[in-house]
Amino acid sequence: EANPDLVKVIKNNKNEIDQYKKIEVKNYRINNKAISDINSSLIFNIAKNPTVSSLNEFSKNIDKTWPGYREAHCTVIKKIEVEGITLEKYCIDNEIKKINYLHIDTQGSDLEVLKGLKNKLEIVDQGVLEAATKKETSLYETNHTIDEVKKFLKLNNFKISKIENVDENIDKEKNIYFNKKNLNINFKINKKYNVR
């Protein structure tokens, strides 16, 4: 999580869960970093609605293509400098040898995150990422499209198992579910959860 204010919220929520369950949840790690395709300091745009905050600028066409969104959600309230890290470096630093399921939702940077795995892309079995249906209607200025994701996945020996709307009310962004072409899935992963 790149937004330090949300890191505090997450830690507080985790403490409340610990107290409610009367156990300490240990199977997670929160990192105050931005996952990208480069290891460098980056500028992060914190929006009025923090769930749409991004490394990307909002689209210049937002008022036309996403009516009401600028005022309700997509006004940048501040810009902060954050540490950017690739998933490749994160995996190396944390000795991660296998990723069974990778859920990417980085507000217009999902494909860059996947590309940032570089030589570690082969350790991913399956996952999901978001993409814009078209550049012209993207929420973010530099968002990738479904076609760009399809090309990248095909070049890297993945197949798409399903494409669906991110939200029932939003048809300009899609979730793209993918897995290795030769993956033998003997187990089911619950993919129907609210990651927020």
Side-chain angles (χ1 to χ4, degrees), residues 169-186:
N169 300 318
I170 299 171
D171 62 357
K172 296 177 187 93
E173 291 182 344
K174 304 285 184 180
N175 278 327
I176 303 171
Y177 295 85
F178 62 92
N179 57 270
K180 281 184 179 169
K181 285 184 180 175
N182 61 351
L183 182 66
N184 181 8
I185 303 173
N186 293 324

Side-chain angles (χ1 to χ4, degrees), residues 45-72:
N45 300 295
I46 297 180
K48 182 177 182 180
N49 175 347
T51 66
V52 297
S53 299
S54 178
L55 293 170
N56 298 309
E57 301 286 337
F58 290 110
S59 170
K60 293 180 180 96
N61 298 326
I62 197 169
D63 294 322
K64 180 180 174 186
T65 57
W66 293 78
Y69 268 68
R70 183 183 307 279
E71 186 176 313

Side-chain angles (χ1 to χ4, degrees), residues 1-19 25 27-33 44 50-51 105 194-196:
E1 175 57 56
N3 184 341
D5 294 333
L6 287 184
V7 169
K8 291 175 190 170
V9 171
I10 293 166
K11 287 181 177 179
N12 185 57
N13 289 344
K14 189 263 186 196
N15 289 335
E16 286 183 19
I17 291 168
D18 286 351
Q19 290 175 10
V25 178
N27 65 344
Y28 87 105
R29 184 179 303 162
I30 181 103
N31 298 276
N32 186 204
K33 298 179 182 187
F44 189 69
T51 66
D105 182 2
N194 184 340
V195 296
R196 305 214 193 288

Side-chain angles (χ1 to χ4, degrees), residues 119-136:
N119 294 326
K120 294 288 183 181
L121 188 58
E122 65 188 34
I123 72 171
V124 176
D125 282 344
Q126 58 182 320
V128 62
L129 71 152
E130 293 182 11
T133 53
K134 299 184 291 189
K135 290 274 188 205
E136 300 79 27

